[in-house]
Amino acid sequence: MKELFVRLDRCQGCRSCQLACAVAHSRSKNLFAAISETPVPRYRLFIERGQGLNVPLTCRQCDPAPCLDACIAGALYRDERGVVQRREGSCVGCWTCIMICPYGVVGREKERKIAVKCDRCPDLEVPACVQACPTRALIYGEADSFGADIRKAAAGVLARAAE
Amino acid sequence: MRYVIIGNGAAGNAAAAAIRTWDPMGEVLIFTDEPQPAYYRPLITNLIEEGLPEDIFFQKEPGSPPEVDLQLGKRIAGLDAGLKQLTLQDGMICAYDRLLLATGASAILPDIPGWQGPGTHVLRTLADAQALAQAAREGKNAVIIGAGRVGLKAALALRHRGLEVTLVEQALYLAPVQFDEMAGEILGKTLEAVGIRLIFNQTVTAVRRAGDRIIGLALADGRVLEAEVVVAAVGTRAHVELARKAGLAVNQGILVDKWLRTSAPDIYAAGDVVETTDIVTGQSIVSGLWTNAVEMGRIAGSNMAGAAIEYPGAFAVLNSLEVAGIPTVAMGLTNLPAGGEYQVYQSRRGNNYRKLVFQEEILVGALLVGDIDGAGVYAGLIRGKAKIRKICGELEHPRSGLASWLSSRISKAERAAC
Amino acid sequence: MEKTTDSASRAMLKVAERQDLSTIWDRFAVQTPQCGFGELGTCCRNCLQGPCRIDPFGEGATLGACGASADTIVARNLVRAIAAGTAAHSGHAKHLAHTLLKAATGRAPDYPIKDEVKLKAVAKRLGIVTEGKETAEIAREVAETALRDFSEKETPVAWAATNVTQGRVETFLKYGVVPTGIDAAISEVMHRTHYGVDADPVNLLLGGIKCALADFAGCAMGTDLADILFGTPKPVVSRANLGVLKPDAVNIGLHGHSPILSDLIVQMAHDLDGEARAAGAAAGVNLVGMCCTGNEVLMRHGIPAATHSVSQELAIITGALDAMVVDYQCVMPSLATLAECFHTRLITTMPISKIPGATHIEFSEENARQAAAEIIRLGIEAFKRRDPQKVNIPSHQSDVLAGFSTEAIVGALSLLNRDDPLKPLIDNIVAGNILGVCLFAGCNNVRVTQDQNFLTMAKELARENVLLLATGCGAGAFARHGLLTSEATTAYAGDGLKAVLTALGQAVGLPGPLPLVLHMGSCVDNTRAVQVAVAVANKLGVDLDKLPVVASAPEATTEKAIAIGTWAVAAGLPTHVGVIPPVLGSSLVARVLTQDVKSLFGGYFMVETDPVTAARQLVEAIRERRAGLGI
């Protein structure tokens, strides 16, 4: 299963990912039209300022998922890709999932009183946030290859240090 | 391998799903004394407002494991832990290899004169909710005893239906387990603004009847409240009888070890019937929370099928409730016990209130009224016993605090290697 | 999306791909997706407490740190863009004003006054007495009036006030948008958009209109002074597109904006034909134009146009451009890097406009001919290093009939009616043979398939009998695609338009009708079109905002284009823009620009990216004006 990885040193805090996420979850799929839709499209990832770093907080599609366990209305389920999805029409807006998500990445849509979370853009090959990131701080790939890239880079650092 | 589960609620079903994951070939039976299939108990208050929602019942997932054998309307009369056998009320015997007691709890009935008879309700099962919905169609005045989370939900639902609603609570403010005085004050005002009458520091001493009909409720201070519909929401009691009669170790709930095993071999327990540990205080608690039940069920079921997952303990308080448009979240220690060193961080802006409770380095409780954005961060930090006291100022905004905490834990070398 | 509709550009893009040369299209692809906050205009970098962004979805920041709303931020950014455009045209105009002053006072022997008739006409319009004065004296007074128009004074900018109708002057006074100095207006915009000054979006936009009117003045001044110094354009035949490069000549590209440089090179070029031939270029020196300076020398000297705007790099990729000499504006820095892959010498000439990697030869009015010769000689030198293997001159070139200054158009009309030249124009408009007039202006934009919007709209409008005028790289687009020809009229014009252009063509002695689009010159020469409109308006006794005249910048790119578009709106023209400007982050600003401004100035912006729809909307706007006039 492909994962969403974050390279913290690359994040510029430009929030292009947030705009792209909202637009991808709008009806019009166009920034200029999306901003006047009702309900207002919501982005599902968040950029926060840590200590000297910008930290994108995204849904980790945890397994087991605290949100999935916590949902008292059976409105969350895991799809074939392993992504935790909201079932249309089942959410009652109790916010238990918001209370339980350790990353704080479940949101509230006030217009329809339902919870909103990352669905990993099921209609796109690559999630909208990843496509939008101008510094490629967000990576969509298999854990193995991402790990391999880190190992290579670390090996390079070590080798240079040894010289 | 035959796995038998008593109880078709959150814990029972989570266990069944977990067993299937670990042992797809095993036989799984669920016994329940209820006449209908599994449903989302927390949603039953919706019946009072809307009628029966279809999705109150558990949905079948695409690709979910093969059917379990669900036996509806079956009461268990006895358990023989030595012979590994159940005796059902209708006389049938059922042998098991592994047994899960997920028998849940039932609502406590107030022990006051006049309670028996029509017009008094509790709110625990689907049948309870249907009866209350019926009564709400006919009655004009409702009194709810106990302003805890069930009482509040019932009060709001009945008020929404158009009844005159009075809440009687023996503590000094609402939901005294979850909320503190300030939260209680904010929410109390909100409830009064929608027309719910609140009476604190009182108990109901009797139900006055004329024949079968309720004509009033007597309070300790002598007042009598008009009522046709009375709901008691004064707590639940775990169904430990079966276990106690079978000789298992039992206290307020069934006693279990950290793998959710009872004192009898091959018997596990999960959900509202279990006495477990509060992950914040370490004290024994019986949890009545759906989330805890699901987690326990999943772990117990996995362990029954060969895993060895430790259950870390439950949040005694872990509640999300929207009161007349104001979201609230309470978790961990929100009301401070006497003794013990706690540092409290509070902030209030109009109707937005936030309280964070620290014990030395770690976060042990969070109470939010109004803005609950990102609240789960606090749950994660409490559960993980993260040492975050130093950045408590930044925890006003949970995600921002999380980002601070995460970034402080990343070493420079890690950053460079990326 | 296709990059271009131009066959020569397409051919060169294939060459670029083969040789792994990066062009604006490649760099733009790497830039996408571009920042949504920038696209919406809701990013503010005016102070060190920023950069601030407004969350268009309302969850994050809804105000800048200082409290500026999206409306304020968008308006501030827009008027700063207008100021930048105004500064560019102002720079162009004041350079000409200084040159005229030097010419008048004997300090620029290389710049004699070529058109005394124009000089006197301009002087008269400015209220300068010409009887009994020497040419040099009149020129001095005009130059001094021009220079005064830039700074602090208490009278309106002369080149704005004297170039519009009285009705416009009154409207501008009513809304407080009369600039008193061109540079003063620019400076005022920079002040009011500074941290903590003007936060009222409508007030800011009115300030932007005032600055745009200063831009109008700068443009009109540029046109007038260039005509005085270099001659007023007359109809001229030439060619356009990369095929004008010659394999056997020293090809020198003239790029940028000012005829102060380009006209001199034109004058010197053939003096050095002998040296070119000696270097092996049998056809001598071949000058080709690019962008607005190319338009200036096309209009006055028939110098062929190589290419324009977004495809400017492709001229170098032909491998046959021996030198490109540039002054200021619209010159891509990438030209230097590209030139290094070839033998091409990129030569900058202005102290404020240098490019790393280019050769700088400082060009001033005092040393003009000498510098021009030096520049041409560098081209001849470079020719010797031309690599024949890398030469790929596409064969595409189109015929061009250009040179339609106001004077030329009125001159043509006077052949139909000597005493009242505007009458045939007005009669045909009233009769409906000419539905209305559309002025095409502006640039190419890399996000639009090159020339696609221009060509589609022109053909749609011509079919509806709209008379088409064009300037700048817009005219360049039409030039390269053969729309500046009689054949294009025959192919695309509606019957009424065709009849009028045929009559005019006959009158001027052409074998066919006048071209489908009348090339009026460079971007500053948009003011020529305004002159015609003002004349018609005055004759009809109405104001400009009643005329069935519209404008369109279908592929706009520069801040200059924003400035010109804004003064077109202020002048009362429905003005179409074919790309989305960065204003949608404020629904208030968007509404003011497209709706509210109509009730103040009569003109308004129309933003529409689809060319067919845009053409239809312009026709509707023209019809609405006709209805208002009762025709």
Side-chain angles (χ1 to χ4, degrees):
Chain A
M1 175 183 147
K2 282 196 173 175
E3 307 280 354
L4 204 89
F5 294 101
V6 179
R7 295 196 284 179
L8 287 173
D9 57 332
R10 295 291 183 105
C11 178
Q12 295 301 304
C14 76
R15 300 180 187 274
S16 296
C17 51
Q18 291 184 302
L19 291 192
C21 177
V23 172
H25 291 91
S26 67
R27 282 193 302 278
S28 57
K29 308 282 187 269
N30 167 285
L31 176 63
F32 303 119
I35 59 179
S36 32
E37 281 180 21
T38 315
V40 156
R42 292 189 63 100
Y43 44 78
R44 292 116 197 264
L45 73 164
F46 304 87
I47 310 299
E48 304 290 341
R49 182 72 182 166
Q51 294 177 7
L53 270 188
N54 297 311
V55 181
L57 290 170
T58 64
C59 171
R60 310 308 311 163
Q61 312 294 352
C62 310
D63 192 354
C67 58
L68 221 168
D69 286 352
C71 179
I72 62 164
L76 292 172
Y77 69 96
R78 196 181 299 274
D79 72 8
E80 336 69 65
R81 289 185 306 158
V83 174
V84 178
Q85 301 280 8
R86 184 190 70 222
R87 207 193 306 275
E88 279 311 307
S90 294
C91 177
V92 297
C94 73
W95 318 134
T96 308
C97 51
I98 294 182
M99 176 178 66
I100 209 80
C101 170
Y103 298 95
V105 292
V106 182
R108 266 198 317 152
E109 190 203 283
K110 296 185 186 88
E111 290 97 328
R112 289 177 289 174
K113 200 167 178 271
I114 53 177
V116 169
K117 73 172 286 296
C118 169
D119 58 7
R120 279 288 162 79
C121 291
D123 300 326
L124 299 174
E125 275 225 30
V126 175
C129 55
V130 174
Q131 287 184 58
C133 179
T135 58
R136 302 209 337 117
L138 298 176
I139 305 276
Y140 187 57
E142 302 284 345
D144 289 342
S145 53
F146 187 74
D149 289 340
I150 297 185
R151 285 192 293 275
K152 270 190 226 134
V157 169
L158 290 170
R160 280 192 294 279
E163 281 166 16
Chain B
M1 178 77 69
R2 177 189 277 181
Y3 304 89
V4 176
I5 298 172
I6 309 178
N8 191 27
N13 277 278
I19 291 169
R20 277 274 168 265
T21 313
W22 285 85
D23 182 0
M25 294 290 101
E27 189 192 341
V28 179
L29 262 96
I30 301 183
F31 288 109
T32 175
D33 60 359
E34 291 197 70
Q36 75 281 308
Y39 59 91
Y40 293 98
R41 194 181 305 284
L43 295 186
I44 58 177
T45 19
N46 289 22
L47 264 84
I48 300 170
E49 295 187 54
E50 300 165 0
L52 191 64
E54 258 180 39
D55 47 15
I56 198 171
F57 293 105
F58 277 28
Q59 305 255 18
K60 257 287 151 243
E61 300 311 319
S64 64
E67 290 290 335
V68 302
D69 186 358
L70 174 62
Q71 303 275 329
L72 295 175
K74 300 281 181 187
R75 193 162 267 287
I76 311 294
L79 159 63
D80 188 330
L83 290 178
K84 295 179 73 167
Q85 259 178 11
L86 293 172
T87 311
L88 276 66
Q89 196 142 65
D90 62 11
M92 222 182 82
I93 309 273
C94 177
Y96 63 84
D97 292 307
R98 304 268 158 76
L99 176 67
L100 177 69
L101 299 172
T103 42
S106 52
I108 296 173
L109 302 176
D111 184 17
I112 52 178
W115 183 264
Q116 298 294 331
T120 54
H121 300 266
V122 289
L123 196 51
R124 175 75 189 169
T125 63
L126 198 57
D128 292 339
Q130 283 166 324
L132 186 53
Q134 178 63 33
R137 269 177 228 122
E138 292 145 18
K140 284 209 328 281
N141 297 291
V143 173
I144 304 182
I145 308 174
R149 21 177 204 107
V150 176
L152 282 174
K153 282 171 84 169
L156 288 162
L158 288 167
R159 182 73 192 127
H160 214 251
R161 256 337 265 275
L163 280 77
E164 291 301 317
V165 175
T166 307
L167 260 172
V168 179
E169 166 57 50
Q170 68 184 19
L172 294 169
Y173 52 87
L174 293 177
V177 172
Q178 288 82 18
F179 295 160
D180 63 7
E181 275 187 62
M182 186 161 302
E185 180 219 315
I186 296 173
L187 293 154
K189 285 210 196 72
T190 317
L191 287 179
E192 280 168 351
V194 299
I196 295 178
R197 190 167 143 213
L198 301 170
I199 299 177
F200 293 112
N201 202 20
Q202 276 302 310
T203 50
V204 174
T205 49
V207 179
R208 301 261 175 82
R209 288 181 188 271
D212 260 351
R213 207 163 49 90
I214 298 180
I215 50 172
L217 286 185
L219 298 182
D221 66 358
R223 284 185 282 175
V224 177
L225 301 175
E226 222 185 311
E228 297 89 40
V229 178
V230 181
V231 182
V234 295
T236 55
R237 188 171 290 119
H239 288 151
V240 298
E241 280 319 302
L242 186 66
R244 190 203 310 280
K245 278 198 318 210
L248 272 57
V250 154
N251 192 14
Q252 301 281 18
I254 300 178
L255 295 172
V256 292
D257 66 11
K258 57 184 162 182
W259 292 280
L260 297 176
R261 295 182 305 192
T262 66
S263 54
D266 293 322
I267 302 183
Y268 293 71
D272 293 357
V273 76
V274 166
E275 182 159 322
T276 177
T277 335
D278 181 340
I279 59 162
V280 175
T281 61
Q283 288 167 359
S284 288
I285 54 161
V286 177
S287 152
L289 298 173
W290 182 271
T291 310
N292 291 337
V294 171
E295 196 185 357
M296 278 195 258
R298 181 166 44 75
I299 290 177
S302 307
N303 291 348
M304 284 162 76
I309 304 172
E310 290 183 20
Y311 179 62
F315 276 88
V317 171
L318 184 68
N319 298 96
S320 164
L321 178 64
E322 187 161 311
V323 179
I326 300 188
T328 70
V329 161
M331 58 177 80
L333 274 182
T334 51
N335 281 293
L336 301 184
E341 284 284 308
Y342 298 100
Q343 295 81 42
V344 174
Y345 167 85
Q346 273 175 308
S347 83
R348 177 157 178 190
R349 278 226 215 155
N351 277 348
N352 282 314
Y353 172 55
R354 182 169 309 234
K355 177 160 104 177
L356 298 176
V357 181
F358 295 85
Q359 188 174 26
E360 285 165 30
E361 293 290 319
I362 64 177
L363 186 67
V364 294
L367 174 57
L368 292 76
V369 175
D371 177 11
I372 60 163
D373 193 34
V377 168
Y378 298 138
L381 292 172
I382 294 173
R383 195 192 292 260
K385 296 189 168 25
K387 292 190 171 50
I388 45 157
R389 177 77 206 291
K390 282 197 206 56
I391 57 158
C392 78
E394 292 171 66
L395 285 175
E396 167 89 40
H397 301 110
R399 278 191 302 266
S400 179
L402 179 64
S404 262
W405 183 68
L406 285 174
S407 54
S408 70
R409 290 163 62 80
I410 294 172
S411 70
K412 287 206 178 105
E414 285 176 67
R415 278 190 232 186
C418 288
Chain C
M1 188 194 82
E2 285 250 30
K3 296 180 178 145
T4 178
T5 58
D6 183 310
S7 316
S9 298
R10 263 199 219 114
M12 286 301 98
L13 285 172
K14 287 209 183 75
V15 172
E17 220 176 82
R18 268 204 318 269
Q19 298 184 23
D20 197 19
L21 300 166
S22 99
T23 64
I24 183 174
W25 285 276
D26 305 311
R27 296 184 299 267
F28 179 68
V30 175
Q31 282 290 333
T32 47
Q34 293 177 308
C35 171
F37 299 98
E39 287 178 323
L40 291 169
T42 50
C43 164
C44 180
R45 288 163 50 225
N46 288 7
C47 81
L48 298 176
Q49 292 170 142
C52 291
R53 282 168 304 223
I54 306 298
D55 180 349
F57 297 102
E59 278 184 62
T62 52
L63 296 171
C66 68
S69 65
D71 299 334
T72 304
I73 293 174
V74 167
R76 280 199 301 221
N77 288 341
L78 184 65
V79 306
R80 278 202 166 187
I82 294 172
T86 307
H89 288 139
S90 159
H92 174 124
K94 68 176 63 146
H95 195 181
L96 284 161
H98 283 293
T99 304
L100 182 63
L101 185 62
K102 287 181 192 173
T105 52
R107 291 176 289 144
D110 295 337
Y111 291 91
I113 286 153
K114 287 241 174 75
D115 194 335
E116 287 185 25
V117 171
K118 181 87 183 210
L119 174 65
K120 289 200 176 104
V122 171
K124 195 151 156 246
R125 204 182 66 225
L126 293 170
I128 296 171
V129 169
T130 58
E131 277 75 41
K133 286 186 189 155
E134 296 286 324
T135 302
E137 169 71 20
I138 303 172
R140 190 183 55 77
E141 281 189 63
V142 168
E144 280 168 356
T145 308
L147 287 171
R148 271 198 300 275
D149 244 4
F150 288 95
S151 56
E152 284 300 310
K153 55 185 176 59
E154 288 172 7
T155 51
V157 169
W159 253 271
T162 62
N163 276 312
V164 294
T165 57
Q166 186 54 33
R168 285 291 96 186
V169 173
E170 278 157 25
T171 303
F172 297 155
L173 281 169
K174 180 171 167 196
Y175 295 113
V177 296
V178 176
T180 51
I182 298 175
D183 287 352
I186 295 167
S187 173
E188 187 182 272
V189 165
M190 294 313 290
H191 180 185
R192 78 198 301 161
T193 56
H194 181 280
Y195 175 73
V197 184
D198 199 353
D200 182 321
V202 174
N203 204 37
L204 281 161
L205 292 175
L206 286 172
I209 288 179
K210 182 199 247 184
C211 192
L213 291 174
D215 180 78
F216 169 71
C219 292
M221 188 193 292
T223 299
D224 283 344
L225 301 189
D227 282 354
I228 291 170
L229 283 169
F230 304 107
T232 303
K234 294 196 264 287
V236 68
V237 168
S238 186
R239 288 161 297 116
N241 218 333
L242 290 171
V244 306
L245 292 166
K246 295 189 182 150
D248 54 350
V250 175
N251 294 303
I252 298 183
L254 305 169
H255 188 11
H257 281 71
S258 182
I260 293 173
L261 168 67
S262 56
D263 209 282
L264 259 292
I265 308 240
V266 171
Q267 292 174 40
M268 291 297 296
H270 295 297
D271 291 355
L272 294 165
D273 270 339
E275 290 183 37
R277 276 191 281 269
V285 174
N286 179 36
L287 295 180
V288 300
M290 291 166 58
C291 280
C292 276
T293 212
N295 282 322
E296 300 281 358
V297 296
L298 166 67
M299 294 284 280
R300 297 190 177 90
H301 305 287
I303 300 296
T307 190
H308 307 85
S309 186
V310 76
S311 49
Q312 59 186 264
E313 294 162 304
L314 306 182
I316 296 183
I317 294 179
T318 61
L321 197 65
D322 304 298
M324 190 190 291
V325 56
V326 306
D327 52 17
Y328 36 61
Q329 296 162 33
C330 304
V331 177
M332 287 189 212
S334 62
L335 296 174
T337 336
L338 209 45
E340 273 165 34
C341 299
F342 295 86
H343 70 293
T344 310
R345 217 53 195 275
L346 178 66
I347 301 162
T348 56
T349 56
M350 296 291 148
I352 61 156
S353 182
K354 295 187 179 178
I355 303 175
T359 304
H360 188 75
I361 295 184
E362 197 105 332
F363 186 97
S364 68
E365 294 72 64
E366 290 80 1
N367 76 346
R369 294 197 142 235
Q370 189 192 329
E374 201 185 329
I375 288 165
I376 298 170
R377 285 195 177 104
L378 278 178
I380 295 171
E381 252 333 283
F383 169 83
K384 296 180 193 159
R385 289 178 286 108
R386 201 196 275 186
D387 179 357
Q389 304 285 0
K390 281 173 118 177
V391 173
N392 285 288
I393 303 176
S395 57
H396 312 274
Q397 53 176 304
S398 300
D399 289 332
V400 159
L401 178 57
F404 291 96
S405 58
T406 316
E407 291 81 351
I409 290 177
V410 171
L413 286 169
S414 68
L415 293 172
L416 293 179
N417 186 327
R418 202 167 53 123
D419 302 313
D420 194 355
L422 291 180
K423 188 170 187 316
L425 177 60
I426 293 173
D427 286 348
N428 274 293
I429 293 176
V430 170
N433 293 327
I434 296 177
L435 193 73
V437 182
C438 177
L439 170 64
F440 278 106
C443 339
N444 287 135
N445 185 309
V446 71
R447 31 171 124 253
V448 178
T449 303
Q450 186 188 22
D451 308 331
Q452 168 121 283
N453 288 359
F454 281 109
L455 297 173
T456 309
M457 288 178 70
K459 291 172 187 168
E460 293 284 315
L461 290 168
R463 200 187 60 231
E464 299 285 336
N465 297 309
V466 175
L467 177 65
L468 305 178
L469 312 172
T471 56
C473 289
F478 297 130
R480 283 180 282 103
H481 289 272
L483 263 66
L484 301 185
T485 60
S486 312
E487 289 77 9
T489 305
T490 311
Y492 299 115
D495 291 333
L497 179 66
K498 201 180 295 189
V500 174
L501 292 175
T502 305
L504 278 170
Q506 265 171 11
V508 301
L510 281 181
L514 280 193
L516 187 69
V517 184
L518 303 181
H519 188 337
M520 298 198 79
S522 62
C523 289
V524 299
D525 295 339
N526 278 305
T527 52
R528 298 194 201 276
V530 175
Q531 268 185 320
V532 178
V534 167
V536 170
N538 284 336
K539 185 139 172 57
L540 288 177
V542 299
D543 199 1
L544 288 174
D545 63 341
K546 300 286 184 283
L547 298 181
V549 178
V550 298
S552 169
E555 302 177 23
T557 282
T558 65
E559 290 163 313
K560 291 182 292 179
I562 297 176
I564 292 181
T566 307
W567 62 245
V569 165
L573 304 189
T575 302
H576 163 252
V577 182
V579 296
I580 300 180
V583 300
L584 293 183
S586 161
S587 51
L588 185 153
V589 171
R591 198 196 67 231
V592 167
L593 294 175
T594 55
Q595 292 171 42
D596 300 351
V597 70
K598 191 175 179 184
S599 58
L600 302 179
F601 294 96
Y604 50 97
F605 279 106
M606 303 153 56
V607 177
E608 175 55 61
T609 53
D610 175 65
V612 173
T613 312
R616 185 172 45 79
Q617 287 174 355
L618 286 175
V619 169
E620 276 163 25
I622 287 174
R623 287 195 198 281
E624 193 185 331
R625 289 291 172 89
R626 292 181 67 89
L629 287 173
I631 56 177

